Amino acid sequence: MHKTRIQTNAAAPVLGTYSQGIRASGDIVFLSGQTGRNEDGEMESGIEAQTHRTLANIDAVLNSAGCGREDIARVTLLMADIKDYKVIDQIYAAWLPGDTVTPAKPTRTAFEVPALPAGALVMIEVTAISPT
């Protein structure tokens, strides 16, 4: 399998020994979990702002890989507090492309975790299928 690193300055910088994303064998794109940190590495404040920033970071990394939201096949949603699920889901649902763009929503797993990096309240990881 051939792997290519995906890197963009339009999303938060990595905090450790990982890549923002990887393209595998040309078609599958794996994004590392994105949080509510901006391009300067600063965490947004509050669950709504962090969720919006997390999704903007996903957009940036997908764009860098030549993909878009419509190419997402799989999502993992991690939350510091399961009580935030409804708020996150509403923002996420509005962010997804409509049914006229893609007939199938991505699969998704969501769960609460004891802690996330840098004090994040939400982290989202995606896998996409490249259109090219």
Side-chain angles (χ1 to χ4, degrees), residues 2-70:
H2 178 71
K3 296 187 306 183
T4 306
R5 185 175 86 158
I6 299 163
Q7 178 69 36
T8 179
N9 292 330
V14 298
L15 288 175
T17 53
Y18 61 91
S19 298
Q20 287 176 320
I22 293 287
R23 178 185 300 275
S25 297
D27 293 335
I28 302 174
V29 176
F30 301 95
L31 272 63
S32 290
Q34 298 295 310
T35 64
R37 292 183 316 117
N38 64 27
E39 299 93 335
D40 297 325
E42 297 173 8
M43 187 68 70
E44 299 290 341
S45 180
I47 191 62
E48 292 92 355
Q50 283 192 27
T51 302
H52 284 292
R53 170 52 68 181
T54 297
L55 297 172
N57 288 341
I58 290 169
D59 280 336
V61 180
L62 283 173
N63 184 52
S64 181
C67 295
R69 299 172 193 173
E70 66 278 5

Side-chain angles (χ1 to χ4, degrees), residues 89-122:
D89 190 58
Q90 288 174 340
I91 296 168
Y92 170 83
W95 173 80
L96 284 174
D99 291 337
T100 58
V101 176
T102 181
K105 301 287 186 234
T107 63
R108 184 174 73 184
T109 301
F111 50 94
E112 180 181 86
V113 296
L116 291 167
L121 301 174
V122 60

